[in-house]
Amino acid sequence: ILEFDQRTSWMVLVRPVNRPGYSWGRFWGVAGAAWINILLASIVVMLLVLLMGGAMDPFFLPVFISALLESLVIGALACLAAFVTTSYASALVVMTGIVLLGYLSPTLLFLASKAGNPVLAGAISAVYWLLPHLSGYSVRDLAQPAEAWYLAMLAGYTAAYAGSVMLAAI
């Protein structure tokens, strides 16, 4: 029903697309829109820094790359939420909760270690492993610029997590 409201289904009816093709196309559309926003925001920041007489910080490129990777994970989760829920409001609520818990994932692990009940600790640990670990993308919080191996690890995690979420969405 949501697809009829957005009129995106009319394009699919004119030119039939299989479910994986539609799902991946929607994912790359969401990711592309996020990448354009990140790129434009980065250009504005670079121009402002240069206009103010500053120099580019060595943190800029790793932060830019991690933001692009993080948008892939969030985009895959947004596609899954859009496919599973029936309204914009419910998709927004689900995504807000997942993203907030994704940033708080280290706290979940701490809570699991402090839980006195082993069943509760196991449930919290299961939620920890299912949620995205978005706090790892905050390379701006590191004391030094992220190294290439860390960005490669983030890229591998992004590919694995976003790919598995998209397979669940399909």
PDB file of all heavy atoms in Angstrom, residues 120-140:
ATOM      1  N   LEU A 120      18.594 -12.935  30.846  1.00  0.00           N
ATOM      2  CA  LEU A 120      18.583 -11.519  30.473  1.00  0.00           C
ATOM      3  C   LEU A 120      19.904 -11.137  29.813  1.00  0.00           C
ATOM      4  O   LEU A 120      19.923 -10.420  28.807  1.00  0.00           O
ATOM      5  CB  LEU A 120      18.319 -10.645  31.700  1.00  0.00           C
ATOM      6  CG  LEU A 120      18.310  -9.139  31.470  1.00  0.00           C
ATOM      7  CD1 LEU A 120      17.192  -8.761  30.507  1.00  0.00           C
ATOM      8  CD2 LEU A 120      18.164  -8.407  32.788  1.00  0.00           C
ATOM      9  N   ALA A 121      21.007 -11.620  30.358  1.00  0.00           N
ATOM     10  CA  ALA A 121      22.315 -11.321  29.762  1.00  0.00           C
ATOM     11  C   ALA A 121      22.403 -11.887  28.349  1.00  0.00           C
ATOM     12  O   ALA A 121      22.931 -11.238  27.449  1.00  0.00           O
ATOM     13  CB  ALA A 121      23.431 -11.894  30.643  1.00  0.00           C
ATOM     14  N   GLY A 122      21.867 -13.081  28.149  1.00  0.00           N
ATOM     15  CA  GLY A 122      21.872 -13.671  26.810  1.00  0.00           C
ATOM     16  C   GLY A 122      21.003 -12.903  25.837  1.00  0.00           C
ATOM     17  O   GLY A 122      21.365 -12.717  24.676  1.00  0.00           O
ATOM     18  N   ALA A 123      19.851 -12.426  26.311  1.00  0.00           N
ATOM     19  CA  ALA A 123      18.959 -11.640  25.440  1.00  0.00           C
ATOM     20  C   ALA A 123      19.604 -10.315  25.058  1.00  0.00           C
ATOM     21  O   ALA A 123      19.542  -9.890  23.895  1.00  0.00           O
ATOM     22  CB  ALA A 123      17.626 -11.404  26.137  1.00  0.00           C
ATOM     23  N   ILE A 124      20.225  -9.654  26.027  1.00  0.00           N
ATOM     24  CA  ILE A 124      20.899  -8.382  25.736  1.00  0.00           C
ATOM     25  C   ILE A 124      22.070  -8.616  24.786  1.00  0.00           C
ATOM     26  O   ILE A 124      22.298  -7.825  23.867  1.00  0.00           O
ATOM     27  CB  ILE A 124      21.346  -7.690  27.035  1.00  0.00           C
ATOM     28  CG1 ILE A 124      20.129  -7.266  27.852  1.00  0.00           C
ATOM     29  CG2 ILE A 124      22.225  -6.490  26.742  1.00  0.00           C
ATOM     30  CD1 ILE A 124      20.460  -6.735  29.232  1.00  0.00           C
ATOM     31  N   SER A 125      22.802  -9.691  24.976  1.00  0.00           N
ATOM     32  CA  SER A 125      23.920 -10.004  24.073  1.00  0.00           C
ATOM     33  C   SER A 125      23.424 -10.290  22.661  1.00  0.00           C
ATOM     34  O   SER A 125      24.058  -9.889  21.679  1.00  0.00           O
ATOM     35  CB  SER A 125      24.708 -11.205  24.600  1.00  0.00           C
ATOM     36  OG  SER A 125      25.337 -10.891  25.810  1.00  0.00           O
ATOM     37  N   ALA A 126      22.286 -10.970  22.549  1.00  0.00           N
ATOM     38  CA  ALA A 126      21.724 -11.234  21.215  1.00  0.00           C
ATOM     39  C   ALA A 126      21.332  -9.935  20.528  1.00  0.00           C
ATOM     40  O   ALA A 126      21.595  -9.751  19.327  1.00  0.00           O
ATOM     41  CB  ALA A 126      20.512 -12.163  21.335  1.00  0.00           C
ATOM     42  N   VAL A 127      20.729  -9.010  21.264  1.00  0.00           N
ATOM     43  CA  VAL A 127      20.377  -7.705  20.693  1.00  0.00           C
ATOM     44  C   VAL A 127      21.640  -6.964  20.282  1.00  0.00           C
ATOM     45  O   VAL A 127      21.691  -6.325  19.228  1.00  0.00           O
ATOM     46  CB  VAL A 127      19.532  -6.884  21.704  1.00  0.00           C
ATOM     47  CG1 VAL A 127      19.378  -5.444  21.251  1.00  0.00           C
ATOM     48  CG2 VAL A 127      18.180  -7.524  21.909  1.00  0.00           C
ATOM     49  N   TYR A 128      22.683  -7.062  21.109  1.00  0.00           N
ATOM     50  CA  TYR A 128      23.966  -6.417  20.794  1.00  0.00           C
ATOM     51  C   TYR A 128      24.520  -6.907  19.452  1.00  0.00           C
ATOM     52  O   TYR A 128      24.984  -6.120  18.642  1.00  0.00           O
ATOM     53  CB  TYR A 128      24.975  -6.683  21.916  1.00  0.00           C
ATOM     54  CG  TYR A 128      26.385  -6.277  21.576  1.00  0.00           C
ATOM     55  CD1 TYR A 128      26.777  -4.960  21.666  1.00  0.00           C
ATOM     56  CD2 TYR A 128      27.325  -7.218  21.158  1.00  0.00           C
ATOM     57  CE1 TYR A 128      28.074  -4.575  21.356  1.00  0.00           C
ATOM     58  CE2 TYR A 128      28.612  -6.850  20.849  1.00  0.00           C
ATOM     59  CZ  TYR A 128      28.985  -5.528  20.946  1.00  0.00           C
ATOM     60  OH  TYR A 128      30.262  -5.162  20.624  1.00  0.00           O
ATOM     61  N   TRP A 129      24.456  -8.195  19.214  1.00  0.00           N
ATOM     62  CA  TRP A 129      25.018  -8.743  17.982  1.00  0.00           C
ATOM     63  C   TRP A 129      24.123  -8.508  16.770  1.00  0.00           C
ATOM     64  O   TRP A 129      24.603  -8.526  15.632  1.00  0.00           O
ATOM     65  CB  TRP A 129      25.334 -10.231  18.150  1.00  0.00           C
ATOM     66  CG  TRP A 129      26.534 -10.427  19.011  1.00  0.00           C
ATOM     67  CD1 TRP A 129      26.555 -10.914  20.280  1.00  0.00           C
ATOM     68  CD2 TRP A 129      27.885 -10.106  18.684  1.00  0.00           C
ATOM     69  NE1 TRP A 129      27.829 -10.905  20.770  1.00  0.00           N
ATOM     70  CE2 TRP A 129      28.677 -10.423  19.805  1.00  0.00           C
ATOM     71  CE3 TRP A 129      28.513  -9.570  17.559  1.00  0.00           C
ATOM     72  CZ2 TRP A 129      30.044 -10.212  19.830  1.00  0.00           C
ATOM     73  CZ3 TRP A 129      29.879  -9.369  17.589  1.00  0.00           C
ATOM     74  CH2 TRP A 129      30.628  -9.698  18.714  1.00  0.00           C
ATOM     75  N   LEU A 130      22.829  -8.302  16.973  1.00  0.00           N
ATOM     76  CA  LEU A 130      21.926  -8.025  15.852  1.00  0.00           C
ATOM     77  C   LEU A 130      21.965  -6.564  15.410  1.00  0.00           C
ATOM     78  O   LEU A 130      21.780  -6.270  14.228  1.00  0.00           O
ATOM     79  CB  LEU A 130      20.492  -8.406  16.223  1.00  0.00           C
ATOM     80  CG  LEU A 130      20.192  -9.889  16.262  1.00  0.00           C
ATOM     81  CD1 LEU A 130      18.774 -10.119  16.776  1.00  0.00           C
ATOM     82  CD2 LEU A 130      20.372 -10.519  14.895  1.00  0.00           C
ATOM     83  N   LEU A 131      22.188  -5.670  16.354  1.00  0.00           N
ATOM     84  CA  LEU A 131      22.180  -4.237  16.026  1.00  0.00           C
ATOM     85  C   LEU A 131      23.476  -3.827  15.336  1.00  0.00           C
ATOM     86  O   LEU A 131      24.525  -4.452  15.531  1.00  0.00           O
ATOM     87  CB  LEU A 131      22.019  -3.415  17.306  1.00  0.00           C
ATOM     88  CG  LEU A 131      20.653  -3.455  17.962  1.00  0.00           C
ATOM     89  CD1 LEU A 131      20.701  -2.726  19.297  1.00  0.00           C
ATOM     90  CD2 LEU A 131      19.605  -2.834  17.061  1.00  0.00           C
ATOM     91  N   PRO A 132      23.424  -2.765  14.535  1.00  0.00           N
ATOM     92  CA  PRO A 132      24.671  -2.270  13.932  1.00  0.00           C
ATOM     93  C   PRO A 132      25.522  -1.600  15.005  1.00  0.00           C
ATOM     94  O   PRO A 132      25.009  -0.974  15.930  1.00  0.00           O
ATOM     95  CB  PRO A 132      24.178  -1.244  12.905  1.00  0.00           C
ATOM     96  CG  PRO A 132      22.901  -0.744  13.468  1.00  0.00           C
ATOM     97  CD  PRO A 132      22.278  -1.935  14.141  1.00  0.00           C
ATOM     98  N   HIS A 133      26.816  -1.728  14.890  1.00  0.00           N
ATOM     99  CA  HIS A 133      27.738  -1.101  15.831  1.00  0.00           C
ATOM    100  C   HIS A 133      28.158   0.246  15.249  1.00  0.00           C
ATOM    101  O   HIS A 133      29.260   0.408  14.724  1.00  0.00           O
ATOM    102  CB  HIS A 133      28.938  -2.001  16.095  1.00  0.00           C
ATOM    103  CG  HIS A 133      28.564  -3.340  16.644  1.00  0.00           C
ATOM    104  ND1 HIS A 133      27.672  -3.499  17.688  1.00  0.00           N
ATOM    105  CD2 HIS A 133      28.931  -4.581  16.305  1.00  0.00           C
ATOM    106  CE1 HIS A 133      27.525  -4.772  17.965  1.00  0.00           C
ATOM    107  NE2 HIS A 133      28.276  -5.464  17.127  1.00  0.00           N
ATOM    108  N   LEU A 134      27.269   1.215  15.345  1.00  0.00           N
ATOM    109  CA  LEU A 134      27.495   2.521  14.719  1.00  0.00           C
ATOM    110  C   LEU A 134      28.512   3.365  15.462  1.00  0.00           C
ATOM    111  O   LEU A 134      29.071   4.297  14.887  1.00  0.00           O
ATOM    112  CB  LEU A 134      26.169   3.271  14.599  1.00  0.00           C
ATOM    113  CG  LEU A 134      25.120   2.609  13.716  1.00  0.00           C
ATOM    114  CD1 LEU A 134      23.827   3.415  13.719  1.00  0.00           C
ATOM    115  CD2 LEU A 134      25.634   2.447  12.301  1.00  0.00           C
ATOM    116  N   SER A 135      28.782   3.059  16.713  1.00  0.00           N
ATOM    117  CA  SER A 135      29.770   3.841  17.457  1.00  0.00           C
ATOM    118  C   SER A 135      31.171   3.682  16.862  1.00  0.00           C
ATOM    119  O   SER A 135      32.007   4.571  17.008  1.00  0.00           O
ATOM    120  CB  SER A 135      29.768   3.444  18.930  1.00  0.00           C
ATOM    121  OG  SER A 135      30.094   2.082  19.073  1.00  0.00           O
ATOM    122  N   GLY A 136      31.420   2.593  16.180  1.00  0.00           N
ATOM    123  CA  GLY A 136      32.728   2.396  15.539  1.00  0.00           C
ATOM    124  C   GLY A 136      32.970   3.335  14.375  1.00  0.00           C
ATOM    125  O   GLY A 136      34.113   3.549  13.969  1.00  0.00           O
ATOM    126  N   TYR A 137      31.908   3.915  13.826  1.00  0.00           N
ATOM    127  CA  TYR A 137      32.059   4.853  12.720  1.00  0.00           C
ATOM    128  C   TYR A 137      32.421   6.257  13.184  1.00  0.00           C
ATOM    129  O   TYR A 137      32.698   7.118  12.369  1.00  0.00           O
ATOM    130  CB  TYR A 137      30.765   4.920  11.897  1.00  0.00           C
ATOM    131  CG  TYR A 137      30.486   3.648  11.146  1.00  0.00           C
ATOM    132  CD1 TYR A 137      29.639   2.682  11.662  1.00  0.00           C
ATOM    133  CD2 TYR A 137      31.077   3.418   9.910  1.00  0.00           C
ATOM    134  CE1 TYR A 137      29.380   1.517  10.972  1.00  0.00           C
ATOM    135  CE2 TYR A 137      30.827   2.249   9.220  1.00  0.00           C
ATOM    136  CZ  TYR A 137      29.981   1.307   9.752  1.00  0.00           C
ATOM    137  OH  TYR A 137      29.741   0.157   9.063  1.00  0.00           O
ATOM    138  N   SER A 138      32.415   6.508  14.475  1.00  0.00           N
ATOM    139  CA  SER A 138      32.727   7.836  15.008  1.00  0.00           C
ATOM    140  C   SER A 138      34.235   8.011  15.114  1.00  0.00           C
ATOM    141  O   SER A 138      34.798   8.141  16.204  1.00  0.00           O
ATOM    142  CB  SER A 138      32.056   8.025  16.372  1.00  0.00           C
ATOM    143  OG  SER A 138      30.666   7.961  16.238  1.00  0.00           O
ATOM    144  N   VAL A 139      34.907   8.030  13.981  1.00  0.00           N
ATOM    145  CA  VAL A 139      36.367   8.160  13.981  1.00  0.00           C
ATOM    146  C   VAL A 139      36.797   9.554  14.392  1.00  0.00           C
ATOM    147  O   VAL A 139      37.962   9.758  14.732  1.00  0.00           O
ATOM    148  CB  VAL A 139      36.980   7.778  12.614  1.00  0.00           C
ATOM    149  CG1 VAL A 139      36.727   6.336  12.285  1.00  0.00           C
ATOM    150  CG2 VAL A 139      36.477   8.679  11.517  1.00  0.00           C
ATOM    151  N   ARG A 140      35.887  10.510  14.402  1.00  0.00           N
ATOM    152  CA  ARG A 140      36.240  11.861  14.841  1.00  0.00           C
ATOM    153  C   ARG A 140      36.531  11.888  16.343  1.00  0.00           C
ATOM    154  O   ARG A 140      37.140  12.824  16.836  1.00  0.00           O
ATOM    155  CB  ARG A 140      35.123  12.832  14.499  1.00  0.00           C
ATOM    156  CG  ARG A 140      33.842  12.528  15.219  1.00  0.00           C
ATOM    157  CD  ARG A 140      32.681  13.362  14.726  1.00  0.00           C
ATOM    158  NE  ARG A 140      31.446  12.941  15.342  1.00  0.00           N
ATOM    159  CZ  ARG A 140      30.677  11.967  14.905  1.00  0.00           C
ATOM    160  NH1 ARG A 140      31.017  11.302  13.831  1.00  0.00           N
ATOM    161  NH2 ARG A 140      29.572  11.639  15.529  1.00  0.00           N
TER     162      ARG A 140
END
